[in-house]
Amino acid sequence: MALQFLFNLLIAFLWMAINNNGSGSSFLVGYLLGIGLLLLFRKSRSQPRTFYLIRIWAVLKLLLIFARELTVSNFVVIGHIIRPKLAIRPGIFAYETALATPWEVTLLSCLICLTPGTLTLDVSKDGKTLYIHAIDIKDAQLLVTQIRGTFERAIREVTR
């Protein structure tokens, strides 16, 4: 992936040198030309690798999902705080993850901890079960489904 990015930058700078033009628009044209060339040569290889822009898009998607979940959970926690009567049921539930590497599990754990209202308490020795505290557990299975459908799916797209 890093090699593809470097080749793309090299093509963009070569395009600028060939045209003797150091403007940003010349760089952009060269960069877009490099994307096209890299896509063309990637398809001609017997084992095509993942194109680096797909991975960058997956990272941006993960960041957007985190920003959305952060915003929503902030408003939920604020709603619990400003209510005159505290009507929460805090609890701990076990979350079985399908993530394989320690880096993926750590990233998931950090994203859960950074989201207000949830906290990863512990990870099992095999790294497959996370013990999560939530400020309000009405349905633990719903929380599991939300985590699996948002953070875990996005992490798999970034890392695989």
Side-chain angles (χ1 to χ4, degrees):
M1 184 173 99
L3 192 59
Q4 290 175 351
F5 177 68
L6 291 175
F7 278 141
N8 201 355
L9 285 178
L10 179 68
I11 292 169
F13 286 124
L14 284 174
W15 179 260
M16 290 171 59
I18 289 170
N19 290 318
N20 199 18
N21 186 352
S23 68
S25 60
S26 179
F27 176 79
L28 184 63
V29 169
Y31 193 79
L32 293 175
L33 181 67
I35 289 173
L37 286 172
L38 286 172
L39 283 173
L40 180 72
F41 288 123
R42 185 180 71 89
K43 291 184 187 249
S44 68
R45 294 182 61 188
S46 62
Q47 294 179 343
R49 293 182 181 169
T50 304
F51 193 56
Y52 79 96
L53 287 179
I54 294 171
R55 181 76 49 97
I56 290 173
W57 175 248
V59 169
L60 288 175
K61 244 174 33 174
L62 177 62
L63 291 173
L64 289 173
I65 287 170
F66 174 67
R68 182 190 68 205
E69 292 296 321
L70 181 67
T71 304
V72 168
S73 63
N74 273 320
F75 283 114
V76 169
V77 170
I78 288 171
H80 287 306
I81 292 171
I82 63 173
R83 283 194 192 113
K85 183 178 179 185
L86 196 58
I88 60 172
R89 291 182 299 189
I92 299 171
F93 65 96
Y95 177 74
E96 296 286 330
T97 183
L99 299 175
T101 65
W103 187 85
E104 292 172 334
V105 174
T106 302
L107 181 60
L108 176 63
S109 177
C110 289
L111 290 175
I112 290 170
C113 286
L114 289 172
T115 307
T118 56
L119 177 68
T120 304
L121 299 174
D122 195 14
V123 179
S124 65
K125 293 200 184 291
D126 64 353
K128 296 295 182 188
T129 305
L130 280 73
Y131 298 98
I132 301 171
H133 178 273
I135 195 169
D136 191 16
I137 297 182
K138 291 179 182 153
D139 185 11
Q141 191 58 39
L142 177 66
L143 290 172
V144 167
T145 305
Q146 287 175 343
I147 292 171
R148 189 164 284 129
T150 56
F151 290 141
E152 188 169 329
R153 182 174 48 97
I155 289 170
R156 277 196 313 265
E157 288 177 10
V158 168
T159 59
R160 296 181 187 163

PDB file of all heavy atoms in Angstrom, residues 3-35:
ATOM      1  N   LEU A   3       3.914   1.510  -1.000  1.00  0.00           N
ATOM      2  CA  LEU A   3       4.636   1.557  -2.263  1.00  0.00           C
ATOM      3  C   LEU A   3       3.761   2.128  -3.378  1.00  0.00           C
ATOM      4  O   LEU A   3       4.240   2.902  -4.211  1.00  0.00           O
ATOM      5  CB  LEU A   3       5.128   0.154  -2.619  1.00  0.00           C
ATOM      6  CG  LEU A   3       6.140   0.053  -3.743  1.00  0.00           C
ATOM      7  CD1 LEU A   3       7.385   0.862  -3.421  1.00  0.00           C
ATOM      8  CD2 LEU A   3       6.501  -1.385  -4.009  1.00  0.00           C
ATOM      9  N   GLN A   4       2.488   1.759  -3.374  1.00  0.00           N
ATOM     10  CA  GLN A   4       1.565   2.301  -4.366  1.00  0.00           C
ATOM     11  C   GLN A   4       1.452   3.819  -4.223  1.00  0.00           C
ATOM     12  O   GLN A   4       1.472   4.547  -5.220  1.00  0.00           O
ATOM     13  CB  GLN A   4       0.177   1.676  -4.208  1.00  0.00           C
ATOM     14  CG  GLN A   4       0.095   0.238  -4.592  1.00  0.00           C
ATOM     15  CD  GLN A   4      -1.284  -0.339  -4.297  1.00  0.00           C
ATOM     16  OE1 GLN A   4      -2.123   0.285  -3.663  1.00  0.00           O
ATOM     17  NE2 GLN A   4      -1.509  -1.545  -4.764  1.00  0.00           N
ATOM     18  N   PHE A   5       1.351   4.292  -2.990  1.00  0.00           N
ATOM     19  CA  PHE A   5       1.258   5.727  -2.747  1.00  0.00           C
ATOM     20  C   PHE A   5       2.525   6.452  -3.216  1.00  0.00           C
ATOM     21  O   PHE A   5       2.449   7.513  -3.843  1.00  0.00           O
ATOM     22  CB  PHE A   5       1.007   5.992  -1.261  1.00  0.00           C
ATOM     23  CG  PHE A   5       0.957   7.443  -0.909  1.00  0.00           C
ATOM     24  CD1 PHE A   5      -0.082   8.248  -1.341  1.00  0.00           C
ATOM     25  CD2 PHE A   5       1.968   8.017  -0.142  1.00  0.00           C
ATOM     26  CE1 PHE A   5      -0.121   9.595  -1.029  1.00  0.00           C
ATOM     27  CE2 PHE A   5       1.939   9.359   0.181  1.00  0.00           C
ATOM     28  CZ  PHE A   5       0.891  10.151  -0.264  1.00  0.00           C
ATOM     29  N   LEU A   6       3.683   5.869  -2.922  1.00  0.00           N
ATOM     30  CA  LEU A   6       4.940   6.489  -3.355  1.00  0.00           C
ATOM     31  C   LEU A   6       5.054   6.526  -4.874  1.00  0.00           C
ATOM     32  O   LEU A   6       5.513   7.521  -5.449  1.00  0.00           O
ATOM     33  CB  LEU A   6       6.130   5.756  -2.736  1.00  0.00           C
ATOM     34  CG  LEU A   6       6.298   5.929  -1.233  1.00  0.00           C
ATOM     35  CD1 LEU A   6       7.437   5.065  -0.721  1.00  0.00           C
ATOM     36  CD2 LEU A   6       6.548   7.388  -0.889  1.00  0.00           C
ATOM     37  N   PHE A   7       4.658   5.444  -5.536  1.00  0.00           N
ATOM     38  CA  PHE A   7       4.656   5.441  -7.007  1.00  0.00           C
ATOM     39  C   PHE A   7       3.709   6.501  -7.549  1.00  0.00           C
ATOM     40  O   PHE A   7       4.017   7.173  -8.538  1.00  0.00           O
ATOM     41  CB  PHE A   7       4.283   4.075  -7.567  1.00  0.00           C
ATOM     42  CG  PHE A   7       5.413   3.094  -7.608  1.00  0.00           C
ATOM     43  CD1 PHE A   7       5.205   1.764  -7.290  1.00  0.00           C
ATOM     44  CD2 PHE A   7       6.687   3.484  -7.975  1.00  0.00           C
ATOM     45  CE1 PHE A   7       6.240   0.850  -7.322  1.00  0.00           C
ATOM     46  CE2 PHE A   7       7.730   2.589  -8.010  1.00  0.00           C
ATOM     47  CZ  PHE A   7       7.506   1.262  -7.679  1.00  0.00           C
ATOM     48  N   ASN A   8       2.576   6.657  -6.906  1.00  0.00           N
ATOM     49  CA  ASN A   8       1.623   7.658  -7.357  1.00  0.00           C
ATOM     50  C   ASN A   8       2.206   9.064  -7.216  1.00  0.00           C
ATOM     51  O   ASN A   8       2.071   9.899  -8.117  1.00  0.00           O
ATOM     52  CB  ASN A   8       0.322   7.528  -6.574  1.00  0.00           C
ATOM     53  CG  ASN A   8      -0.852   8.159  -7.280  1.00  0.00           C
ATOM     54  OD1 ASN A   8      -0.722   8.778  -8.314  1.00  0.00           O
ATOM     55  ND2 ASN A   8      -2.015   7.997  -6.710  1.00  0.00           N
ATOM     56  N   LEU A   9       2.870   9.330  -6.099  1.00  0.00           N
ATOM     57  CA  LEU A   9       3.524  10.631  -5.929  1.00  0.00           C
ATOM     58  C   LEU A   9       4.644  10.825  -6.954  1.00  0.00           C
ATOM     59  O   LEU A   9       4.808  11.918  -7.509  1.00  0.00           O
ATOM     60  CB  LEU A   9       4.086  10.760  -4.516  1.00  0.00           C
ATOM     61  CG  LEU A   9       3.089  11.009  -3.398  1.00  0.00           C
ATOM     62  CD1 LEU A   9       3.813  11.071  -2.054  1.00  0.00           C
ATOM     63  CD2 LEU A   9       2.319  12.288  -3.636  1.00  0.00           C
ATOM     64  N   LEU A  10       5.416   9.772  -7.213  1.00  0.00           N
ATOM     65  CA  LEU A  10       6.491   9.846  -8.196  1.00  0.00           C
ATOM     66  C   LEU A  10       5.940  10.193  -9.582  1.00  0.00           C
ATOM     67  O   LEU A  10       6.495  11.049 -10.284  1.00  0.00           O
ATOM     68  CB  LEU A  10       7.263   8.526  -8.247  1.00  0.00           C
ATOM     69  CG  LEU A  10       8.403   8.455  -9.254  1.00  0.00           C
ATOM     70  CD1 LEU A  10       9.527   9.392  -8.849  1.00  0.00           C
ATOM     71  CD2 LEU A  10       8.901   7.031  -9.392  1.00  0.00           C
ATOM     72  N   ILE A  11       4.851   9.557  -9.961  1.00  0.00           N
ATOM     73  CA  ILE A  11       4.235   9.840 -11.259  1.00  0.00           C
ATOM     74  C   ILE A  11       3.757  11.286 -11.309  1.00  0.00           C
ATOM     75  O   ILE A  11       3.932  11.979 -12.325  1.00  0.00           O
ATOM     76  CB  ILE A  11       3.087   8.848 -11.538  1.00  0.00           C
ATOM     77  CG1 ILE A  11       3.647   7.445 -11.757  1.00  0.00           C
ATOM     78  CG2 ILE A  11       2.256   9.288 -12.736  1.00  0.00           C
ATOM     79  CD1 ILE A  11       2.596   6.351 -11.773  1.00  0.00           C
ATOM     80  N   ALA A  12       3.176  11.780 -10.210  1.00  0.00           N
ATOM     81  CA  ALA A  12       2.693  13.161 -10.180  1.00  0.00           C
ATOM     82  C   ALA A  12       3.849  14.150 -10.322  1.00  0.00           C
ATOM     83  O   ALA A  12       3.756  15.115 -11.093  1.00  0.00           O
ATOM     84  CB  ALA A  12       1.929  13.413  -8.884  1.00  0.00           C
ATOM     85  N   PHE A  13       4.948  13.901  -9.622  1.00  0.00           N
ATOM     86  CA  PHE A  13       6.097  14.808  -9.727  1.00  0.00           C
ATOM     87  C   PHE A  13       6.776  14.703 -11.093  1.00  0.00           C
ATOM     88  O   PHE A  13       7.272  15.706 -11.626  1.00  0.00           O
ATOM     89  CB  PHE A  13       7.089  14.560  -8.590  1.00  0.00           C
ATOM     90  CG  PHE A  13       6.605  15.078  -7.265  1.00  0.00           C
ATOM     91  CD1 PHE A  13       6.502  14.230  -6.177  1.00  0.00           C
ATOM     92  CD2 PHE A  13       6.256  16.407  -7.106  1.00  0.00           C
ATOM     93  CE1 PHE A  13       6.060  14.698  -4.956  1.00  0.00           C
ATOM     94  CE2 PHE A  13       5.809  16.890  -5.892  1.00  0.00           C
ATOM     95  CZ  PHE A  13       5.707  16.035  -4.807  1.00  0.00           C
ATOM     96  N   LEU A  14       6.823  13.499 -11.662  1.00  0.00           N
ATOM     97  CA  LEU A  14       7.366  13.360 -13.017  1.00  0.00           C
ATOM     98  C   LEU A  14       6.516  14.118 -14.026  1.00  0.00           C
ATOM     99  O   LEU A  14       7.040  14.747 -14.961  1.00  0.00           O
ATOM    100  CB  LEU A  14       7.461  11.884 -13.414  1.00  0.00           C
ATOM    101  CG  LEU A  14       8.608  11.098 -12.802  1.00  0.00           C
ATOM    102  CD1 LEU A  14       8.499   9.617 -13.151  1.00  0.00           C
ATOM    103  CD2 LEU A  14       9.937  11.649 -13.275  1.00  0.00           C
ATOM    104  N   TRP A  15       5.200  14.075 -13.844  1.00  0.00           N
ATOM    105  CA  TRP A  15       4.297  14.811 -14.727  1.00  0.00           C
ATOM    106  C   TRP A  15       4.573  16.316 -14.631  1.00  0.00           C
ATOM    107  O   TRP A  15       4.601  17.012 -15.648  1.00  0.00           O
ATOM    108  CB  TRP A  15       2.845  14.501 -14.363  1.00  0.00           C
ATOM    109  CG  TRP A  15       1.859  15.231 -15.209  1.00  0.00           C
ATOM    110  CD1 TRP A  15       1.176  16.362 -14.895  1.00  0.00           C
ATOM    111  CD2 TRP A  15       1.449  14.881 -16.535  1.00  0.00           C
ATOM    112  NE1 TRP A  15       0.370  16.743 -15.925  1.00  0.00           N
ATOM    113  CE2 TRP A  15       0.514  15.846 -16.950  1.00  0.00           C
ATOM    114  CE3 TRP A  15       1.776  13.848 -17.403  1.00  0.00           C
ATOM    115  CZ2 TRP A  15      -0.100  15.798 -18.193  1.00  0.00           C
ATOM    116  CZ3 TRP A  15       1.155  13.809 -18.636  1.00  0.00           C
ATOM    117  CH2 TRP A  15       0.239  14.767 -19.020  1.00  0.00           C
ATOM    118  N   MET A  16       4.799  16.793 -13.416  1.00  0.00           N
ATOM    119  CA  MET A  16       5.111  18.213 -13.226  1.00  0.00           C
ATOM    120  C   MET A  16       6.441  18.562 -13.888  1.00  0.00           C
ATOM    121  O   MET A  16       6.583  19.627 -14.507  1.00  0.00           O
ATOM    122  CB  MET A  16       5.166  18.546 -11.732  1.00  0.00           C
ATOM    123  CG  MET A  16       3.816  18.521 -11.045  1.00  0.00           C
ATOM    124  SD  MET A  16       3.905  18.667  -9.265  1.00  0.00           S
ATOM    125  CE  MET A  16       4.718  20.218  -9.046  1.00  0.00           C
ATOM    126  N   ALA A  17       7.439  17.670 -13.788  1.00  0.00           N
ATOM    127  CA  ALA A  17       8.752  17.934 -14.383  1.00  0.00           C
ATOM    128  C   ALA A  17       8.686  17.901 -15.904  1.00  0.00           C
ATOM    129  O   ALA A  17       9.318  18.725 -16.575  1.00  0.00           O
ATOM    130  CB  ALA A  17       9.766  16.912 -13.871  1.00  0.00           C
ATOM    131  N   ILE A  18       7.940  16.948 -16.456  1.00  0.00           N
ATOM    132  CA  ILE A  18       7.823  16.847 -17.913  1.00  0.00           C
ATOM    133  C   ILE A  18       7.159  18.087 -18.481  1.00  0.00           C
ATOM    134  O   ILE A  18       7.571  18.615 -19.529  1.00  0.00           O
ATOM    135  CB  ILE A  18       7.052  15.571 -18.308  1.00  0.00           C
ATOM    136  CG1 ILE A  18       7.904  14.337 -18.028  1.00  0.00           C
ATOM    137  CG2 ILE A  18       6.614  15.607 -19.767  1.00  0.00           C
ATOM    138  CD1 ILE A  18       7.147  13.030 -18.167  1.00  0.00           C
ATOM    139  N   ASN A  19       6.137  18.592 -17.812  1.00  0.00           N
ATOM    140  CA  ASN A  19       5.411  19.770 -18.299  1.00  0.00           C
ATOM    141  C   ASN A  19       6.042  21.086 -17.861  1.00  0.00           C
ATOM    142  O   ASN A  19       5.530  22.150 -18.230  1.00  0.00           O
ATOM    143  CB  ASN A  19       3.951  19.717 -17.824  1.00  0.00           C
ATOM    144  CG  ASN A  19       3.181  18.631 -18.524  1.00  0.00           C
ATOM    145  OD1 ASN A  19       3.320  18.442 -19.728  1.00  0.00           O
ATOM    146  ND2 ASN A  19       2.380  17.905 -17.768  1.00  0.00           N
ATOM    147  N   ASN A  20       7.125  21.003 -17.059  1.00  0.00           N
ATOM    148  CA  ASN A  20       7.807  22.198 -16.558  1.00  0.00           C
ATOM    149  C   ASN A  20       6.808  23.167 -15.915  1.00  0.00           C
ATOM    150  O   ASN A  20       6.791  24.359 -16.191  1.00  0.00           O
ATOM    151  CB  ASN A  20       8.585  22.890 -17.685  1.00  0.00           C
ATOM    152  CG  ASN A  20       9.643  23.816 -17.132  1.00  0.00           C
ATOM    153  OD1 ASN A  20      10.015  23.709 -15.965  1.00  0.00           O
ATOM    154  ND2 ASN A  20      10.105  24.736 -17.967  1.00  0.00           N
ATOM    155  N   ASN A  21       5.951  22.591 -15.083  1.00  0.00           N
ATOM    156  CA  ASN A  21       4.904  23.361 -14.436  1.00  0.00           C
ATOM    157  C   ASN A  21       4.826  22.909 -12.975  1.00  0.00           C
ATOM    158  O   ASN A  21       4.557  21.753 -12.704  1.00  0.00           O
ATOM    159  CB  ASN A  21       3.564  23.122 -15.157  1.00  0.00           C
ATOM    160  CG  ASN A  21       2.453  24.003 -14.643  1.00  0.00           C
ATOM    161  OD1 ASN A  21       2.602  24.712 -13.653  1.00  0.00           O
ATOM    162  ND2 ASN A  21       1.333  23.961 -15.339  1.00  0.00           N
ATOM    163  N   GLY A  22       5.053  23.811 -12.053  1.00  0.00           N
ATOM    164  CA  GLY A  22       5.059  23.464 -10.634  1.00  0.00           C
ATOM    165  C   GLY A  22       3.781  23.829  -9.911  1.00  0.00           C
ATOM    166  O   GLY A  22       3.768  23.927  -8.695  1.00  0.00           O
ATOM    167  N   SER A  23       2.694  24.011 -10.642  1.00  0.00           N
ATOM    168  CA  SER A  23       1.442  24.433 -10.001  1.00  0.00           C
ATOM    169  C   SER A  23       0.718  23.251  -9.362  1.00  0.00           C
ATOM    170  O   SER A  23       0.988  22.082  -9.651  1.00  0.00           O
ATOM    171  CB  SER A  23       0.528  25.100 -11.032  1.00  0.00           C
ATOM    172  OG  SER A  23       0.084  24.139 -11.965  1.00  0.00           O
ATOM    173  N   GLY A  24      -0.215  23.570  -8.510  1.00  0.00           N
ATOM    174  CA  GLY A  24      -1.021  22.549  -7.848  1.00  0.00           C
ATOM    175  C   GLY A  24      -1.914  21.806  -8.824  1.00  0.00           C
ATOM    176  O   GLY A  24      -2.160  20.607  -8.662  1.00  0.00           O
ATOM    177  N   SER A  25      -2.384  22.502  -9.855  1.00  0.00           N
ATOM    178  CA  SER A  25      -3.252  21.841 -10.835  1.00  0.00           C
ATOM    179  C   SER A  25      -2.461  20.817 -11.648  1.00  0.00           C
ATOM    180  O   SER A  25      -2.985  19.752 -11.976  1.00  0.00           O
ATOM    181  CB  SER A  25      -3.909  22.868 -11.759  1.00  0.00           C
ATOM    182  OG  SER A  25      -2.926  23.592 -12.465  1.00  0.00           O
ATOM    183  N   SER A  26      -1.202  21.122 -11.934  1.00  0.00           N
ATOM    184  CA  SER A  26      -0.364  20.157 -12.645  1.00  0.00           C
ATOM    185  C   SER A  26      -0.106  18.928 -11.779  1.00  0.00           C
ATOM    186  O   SER A  26      -0.105  17.795 -12.267  1.00  0.00           O
ATOM    187  CB  SER A  26       0.956  20.806 -13.047  1.00  0.00           C
ATOM    188  OG  SER A  26       1.784  19.881 -13.705  1.00  0.00           O
ATOM    189  N   PHE A  27       0.114  19.153 -10.473  1.00  0.00           N
ATOM    190  CA  PHE A  27       0.297  18.038  -9.554  1.00  0.00           C
ATOM    191  C   PHE A  27      -0.960  17.183  -9.497  1.00  0.00           C
ATOM    192  O   PHE A  27      -0.887  15.953  -9.518  1.00  0.00           O
ATOM    193  CB  PHE A  27       0.653  18.541  -8.156  1.00  0.00           C
ATOM    194  CG  PHE A  27       0.755  17.445  -7.139  1.00  0.00           C
ATOM    195  CD1 PHE A  27       1.892  16.654  -7.068  1.00  0.00           C
ATOM    196  CD2 PHE A  27      -0.294  17.187  -6.267  1.00  0.00           C
ATOM    197  CE1 PHE A  27       1.989  15.625  -6.147  1.00  0.00           C
ATOM    198  CE2 PHE A  27      -0.205  16.163  -5.343  1.00  0.00           C
ATOM    199  CZ  PHE A  27       0.935  15.375  -5.277  1.00  0.00           C
ATOM    200  N   LEU A  28      -2.132  17.832  -9.437  1.00  0.00           N
ATOM    201  CA  LEU A  28      -3.398  17.099  -9.378  1.00  0.00           C
ATOM    202  C   LEU A  28      -3.617  16.264 -10.627  1.00  0.00           C
ATOM    203  O   LEU A  28      -4.026  15.105 -10.542  1.00  0.00           O
ATOM    204  CB  LEU A  28      -4.555  18.074  -9.167  1.00  0.00           C
ATOM    205  CG  LEU A  28      -5.930  17.447  -8.999  1.00  0.00           C
ATOM    206  CD1 LEU A  28      -5.976  16.580  -7.759  1.00  0.00           C
ATOM    207  CD2 LEU A  28      -6.986  18.527  -8.946  1.00  0.00           C
ATOM    208  N   VAL A  29      -3.319  16.822 -11.787  1.00  0.00           N
ATOM    209  CA  VAL A  29      -3.453  16.059 -13.031  1.00  0.00           C
ATOM    210  C   VAL A  29      -2.500  14.869 -13.024  1.00  0.00           C
ATOM    211  O   VAL A  29      -2.875  13.747 -13.388  1.00  0.00           O
ATOM    212  CB  VAL A  29      -3.191  16.973 -14.259  1.00  0.00           C
ATOM    213  CG1 VAL A  29      -3.058  16.159 -15.535  1.00  0.00           C
ATOM    214  CG2 VAL A  29      -4.304  17.992 -14.408  1.00  0.00           C
ATOM    215  N   GLY A  30      -1.265  15.089 -12.595  1.00  0.00           N
ATOM    216  CA  GLY A  30      -0.302  13.991 -12.513  1.00  0.00           C
ATOM    217  C   GLY A  30      -0.709  12.937 -11.503  1.00  0.00           C
ATOM    218  O   GLY A  30      -0.527  11.740 -11.731  1.00  0.00           O
ATOM    219  N   TYR A  31      -1.291  13.380 -10.401  1.00  0.00           N
ATOM    220  CA  TYR A  31      -1.738  12.436  -9.375  1.00  0.00           C
ATOM    221  C   TYR A  31      -2.883  11.585  -9.909  1.00  0.00           C
ATOM    222  O   TYR A  31      -2.903  10.357  -9.725  1.00  0.00           O
ATOM    223  CB  TYR A  31      -2.174  13.207  -8.121  1.00  0.00           C
ATOM    224  CG  TYR A  31      -2.362  12.327  -6.919  1.00  0.00           C
ATOM    225  CD1 TYR A  31      -1.278  11.883  -6.191  1.00  0.00           C
ATOM    226  CD2 TYR A  31      -3.634  11.929  -6.514  1.00  0.00           C
ATOM    227  CE1 TYR A  31      -1.437  11.070  -5.091  1.00  0.00           C
ATOM    228  CE2 TYR A  31      -3.808  11.123  -5.422  1.00  0.00           C
ATOM    229  CZ  TYR A  31      -2.712  10.699  -4.702  1.00  0.00           C
ATOM    230  OH  TYR A  31      -2.880   9.881  -3.616  1.00  0.00           O
ATOM    231  N   LEU A  32      -3.844  12.212 -10.578  1.00  0.00           N
ATOM    232  CA  LEU A  32      -4.956  11.462 -11.166  1.00  0.00           C
ATOM    233  C   LEU A  32      -4.470  10.525 -12.272  1.00  0.00           C
ATOM    234  O   LEU A  32      -4.957   9.397 -12.402  1.00  0.00           O
ATOM    235  CB  LEU A  32      -6.016  12.420 -11.699  1.00  0.00           C
ATOM    236  CG  LEU A  32      -6.763  13.241 -10.639  1.00  0.00           C
ATOM    237  CD1 LEU A  32      -7.694  14.247 -11.293  1.00  0.00           C
ATOM    238  CD2 LEU A  32      -7.513  12.338  -9.685  1.00  0.00           C
ATOM    239  N   LEU A  33      -3.495  10.974 -13.053  1.00  0.00           N
ATOM    240  CA  LEU A  33      -2.894  10.113 -14.074  1.00  0.00           C
ATOM    241  C   LEU A  33      -2.209   8.919 -13.407  1.00  0.00           C
ATOM    242  O   LEU A  33      -2.310   7.784 -13.887  1.00  0.00           O
ATOM    243  CB  LEU A  33      -1.890  10.920 -14.905  1.00  0.00           C
ATOM    244  CG  LEU A  33      -1.170  10.195 -16.029  1.00  0.00           C
ATOM    245  CD1 LEU A  33      -2.161   9.815 -17.122  1.00  0.00           C
ATOM    246  CD2 LEU A  33      -0.071  11.051 -16.579  1.00  0.00           C
ATOM    247  N   GLY A  34      -1.526   9.177 -12.291  1.00  0.00           N
ATOM    248  CA  GLY A  34      -0.878   8.093 -11.551  1.00  0.00           C
ATOM    249  C   GLY A  34      -1.878   7.087 -11.019  1.00  0.00           C
ATOM    250  O   GLY A  34      -1.629   5.876 -11.057  1.00  0.00           O
ATOM    251  N   ILE A  35      -3.025   7.555 -10.527  1.00  0.00           N
ATOM    252  CA  ILE A  35      -4.068   6.633 -10.061  1.00  0.00           C
ATOM    253  C   ILE A  35      -4.511   5.734 -11.206  1.00  0.00           C
ATOM    254  O   ILE A  35      -4.638   4.518 -11.054  1.00  0.00           O
ATOM    255  CB  ILE A  35      -5.268   7.408  -9.471  1.00  0.00           C
ATOM    256  CG1 ILE A  35      -4.880   8.031  -8.141  1.00  0.00           C
ATOM    257  CG2 ILE A  35      -6.483   6.500  -9.294  1.00  0.00           C
ATOM    258  CD1 ILE A  35      -5.934   8.956  -7.567  1.00  0.00           C
TER     259      ILE A  35
END
